[in-house]
Every structure is written in structure tokens, then in C-alpha cells.
């Protein structure tokens, strides 16, 4: 099933579930959530083999959220998420100087130490078309930073890379009360990238380059159980797609000479689940 088809199916299923009445959730406007995150990270450069690198593996982390959400009034929220983990690097060596063409395409594998940090501020408006169905369109500002540290085992050349994106999210959050205790939701959003960069540091050269303004996409499907008046538990499957454009050619110093390097176009997906404990007041 294609990504567009999967998203359309999730949206239709959510709307179908919204038909018919159900008792309203116990509603308090202030929400504080603390939870754990698990997911599978998959990064791939858009180059022809063998001159490309791929990276994949499991990441673990934590997330904190606060929001104020009440019918027919302004919504605002802040959140932060930190993920870490080792991923498998599968790349190749490249002849940067042009003096050793025989090494081009030589397989190089290794382990990469990763950390991803995201923080956001959101603002929107909540409407209540039905007394058990809330809709909140929102926007805001966010930053995402990916630190990628490749070791030298497996023939890879060690280096550190830091990717940064600044973006404006545009999205909608919908929640539906199945019963007084069970609630389901859907959050769909696009992150409009306004600035991005990569900083590379290693034994061969250092460089900083822009990596375009391709938008990011994500879908979340939270399922919530209210086990007391002010305490809830939520499990949230999610899908995140983060493409990046190729950089311009940049001059760097290598072996006493000036060479030209670039960061290739790439794709990256992150699929997983978040587990939250939420306090409302």
C-alpha cells in the first residue's frame, strides 16, 4: 500500500468511527504528558549503488508534552523529545582526491551513534462540532537536530555530522470519545522547512552546507484510556517522513588541496510508538 493510500485509509477509518454518539470524556483543559518512545529509523541516500550509504536501526527515547486544549478557545502546547541509539551504517569509500580511483565503491560498514532532539511550540484553535468530537487545527515553530557519529570499525572513515532543521508545522488534531474512558485520535501534519544545514567534522575535512527546504510529513494515531478522574494512559503509533534535498557543491581543504564536496539528496522514515502517562487538571 502506498503512503498516500495508507494515509487516506487512516483518515476514512477515523471519520467512519466518528459516526454516532458516545458519552463524553471527562474534560480538563490542561494536559501534562511524560512518556517513552521506541521506533525504527531508516535513512538512505538517493545515489546509484555502490556510491551511496544507508543507515537503519532502533532508537529509544523520552518525550514530554504540555498543552491547553478546551472547546471554542485558543490551543497552545509545547513538547520536547530526545532519541538515542546505534544504527547500522552501510556505505562505501570514495576517492576524494582523484589519486586513488581503485577505492571508489569499496564497501564500508560500521555502527553510528545517533541522537535526535526535537522541540516545538504550537498554537491553534479548538472547535467542538459534536459533544464527543474535537478538532484542533494548529501551527507553530519547531527545531529538529540529528547528531550522527560514525565509528571506524568495518572499514568506514569516522566522522561526526550534525543536521539541523527549522520548520513551521501545519496540522490538525482530531479526538473522538468512544466511551467515558476510551478515546481515539488522529494527528496529521506537514512541517514546512524554513532553514536546514549539515555540519561535517572528520579526519578528512570539515564542511557546512545547506540541505534544502523539503517538507516533512507525519501521522499519529493516539489511543487513550482514562483510569481515574485526572490520570490517563496513551499509546500512540506514528509515522514520520523526512526527506532532504542535495546541497550545493562546497569547496573544502583536503590534503593541502581544494576539492568540491556535496551532501546527496536523501530520504528518511521513522516508524514507532509512544507510551504516555498523562495528568489533566
Amino acid at each position: 500500500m502506498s503512503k498516500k493510500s495508507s494515509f487516506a485509509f487512516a483518515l476514512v477509518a477515523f471519520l467512519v468511527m466518528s459516526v454516532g454518539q458516545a458519552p463524553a470524556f471527562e474534560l480538563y483543559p490542561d494536559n501534562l504528558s511524560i512518556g517513552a518512545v521506541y521506533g525504527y529509523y531508516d535513512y538512505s541516500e538517493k545515489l546509484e549503488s555502490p556510491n551511496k550509504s544507508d543507515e537503519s536501526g532502533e532508537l529509544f527515547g523520552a518525550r514530554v508534552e504540555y498543552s491547553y486544549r478546551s472547546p471554542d478557545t485558543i490551543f497552545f502546547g509545547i513538547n520536547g523529545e530526545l532519541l538515542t541509539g546505534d544504527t547500522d551504517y552501510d556505505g562505501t569509500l570514495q576517492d576524494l582526491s582523484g589519486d586513488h580511483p581503485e577505492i571508489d565503491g569499496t564497501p564500508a560498514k560500521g555502527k553510528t551513534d545517533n541522537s535526535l532532539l526535537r522541540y516545538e511550540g504550537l498554537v491553534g484553535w479548538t472547535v467542538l462540532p459534536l459533544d464527543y468530537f474535537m478538532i484542533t487545527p494548529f501551527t507553530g515553530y519547531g527545531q529538529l537536530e540529528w547528531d550522527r557519529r560514525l565509528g571506524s570499525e568495518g572499514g568506514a572513515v569516522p566522522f561526526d555530522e550534525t543536521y539541523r532543521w527549522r520548520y513551521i508545522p501545519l496540522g490538525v488534531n482530531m479526538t473522538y470519545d468512544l466511551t467515558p474512558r476510551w478515546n481515539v485520535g488522529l494527528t496529521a501534519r506537514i512541517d514546512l522547512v524554513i532553514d536546514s544545514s549539515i555540519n561535517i567534522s572528520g579526519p578528512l575535512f570539515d564542511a557546512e552546507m545547506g540541505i534544502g527546504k523539503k517538507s516533512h510529513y507525519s501521522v499519529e494515531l493516539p489511543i487513550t484510556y482514562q483510569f481515574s478522574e485526572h490520570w490517563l494512559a496513551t499509546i500512540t503509533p506514528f509515522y514520520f517522513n523526512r526527506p532532504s534535498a542535495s546541497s550545493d557543491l562546497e569547496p573544502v581543504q583536503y590534503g593541502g588541496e581544494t576539492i568540491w564536496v556535496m551532501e546527496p539528496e536523501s530520504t528518511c522514515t521513522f516508524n514507532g510508538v509512544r507510551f504516555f502517562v498523562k495528568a489533566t487538571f
Side-chain angles (χ1 to χ4, degrees):
M1 185 180 291
S2 68
K3 296 172 186 175
K4 291 183 178 179
S5 298
S6 299
F7 176 76
F9 176 79
L11 181 59
V12 170
F14 181 82
L15 294 176
V16 168
M17 286 193 299
S18 302
V19 177
Q21 291 193 348
F25 226 49
E26 189 71 28
L27 180 64
Y28 292 91
D30 293 282
N31 300 269
L32 177 63
S33 301
I34 299 175
V37 186
Y38 164 79
Y40 187 79
Y41 198 71
D42 191 359
Y43 166 86
S44 181
E45 294 178 347
K46 285 192 170 183
L47 291 175
E48 294 294 329
S49 295
N51 295 315
K52 62 176 295 186
S53 70
D54 298 318
E55 192 136 2
S56 60
E58 298 174 314
L59 299 180
F60 303 85
R63 184 179 177 94
V64 178
E65 299 180 352
Y66 167 78
S67 67
Y68 179 89
R69 187 173 185 237
S70 188
D72 301 317
T73 189
I74 193 169
F75 157 84
F76 64 87
I78 54 174
N79 65 73
E81 181 174 275
L82 176 63
L83 303 166
T84 60
D86 291 340
T87 53
D88 295 316
Y89 173 83
D90 184 1
T92 59
L93 299 180
Q94 298 178 29
D95 177 27
L96 298 179
S97 66
D99 297 330
H100 301 283
E102 69 278 2
I103 73 169
D104 259 345
T106 301
K109 299 180 182 292
K111 284 285 187 180
T112 301
D113 177 24
N114 301 275
S115 64
L116 283 89
L117 175 64
R118 178 194 293 271
Y119 50 91
E120 298 177 329
L122 304 174
V123 63
W125 189 269
T126 299
V127 295
L128 191 70
L130 302 170
D131 64 358
Y132 52 90
F133 182 44
M134 285 203 297
I135 302 174
T136 305
F138 62 86
T139 185
Y141 173 81
Q143 289 198 186
L144 173 62
E145 182 173 303
W146 176 25
D147 287 325
R148 182 186 184 204
R149 296 166 293 277
L150 178 64
S152 59
E153 65 273 17
V157 177
F159 61 83
D160 295 343
E161 291 183 340
T162 299
Y163 297 74
R164 293 185 179 89
W165 295 268
R166 296 189 301 120
Y167 59 87
I168 297 173
L170 294 176
V172 60
N173 171 254
M174 299 179 283
T175 57
Y176 170 64
D177 297 329
L178 292 171
T179 75
R181 291 187 179 272
W182 286 99
N183 175 282
V184 295
L186 169 66
T187 301
R189 56 186 275 178
I190 177 173
D191 296 335
L192 304 177
V193 174
I194 56 178
D195 181 62
S196 64
S197 65
I198 177 175
N199 186 285
I200 304 171
S201 177
L204 301 182
F205 62 84
D206 297 332
E208 184 171 0
M209 296 170 278
I211 48 176
K213 297 180 180 180
K214 283 195 171 184
S215 298
H216 306 167
Y217 309 86
S218 62
V219 179
E220 302 176 1
L221 298 170
I223 303 169
T224 300
Y225 178 73
Q226 184 170 356
F227 54 87
S228 69
E229 183 178 3
H230 294 281
W231 292 96
L232 306 91
T234 299
I235 180 171
T236 305
F238 65 85
Y239 169 81
F240 174 59
N241 186 305
R242 195 220 67 215
S244 291
S246 61
S247 72
D248 294 330
L249 287 169
E250 294 288 337
V252 300
Q253 292 300 308
Y254 175 74
E257 299 179 1
T258 299
I259 63 171
W260 295 82
V261 299
M262 65 172 292
E263 176 69 12
E265 183 179 1
S266 63
T267 61
C268 180
T269 60
F270 186 45
N271 309 288
V273 63
R274 299 185 180 103
F275 304 91
F276 287 114
V277 173
K278 180 187 293 186
T280 63
F281 49 96

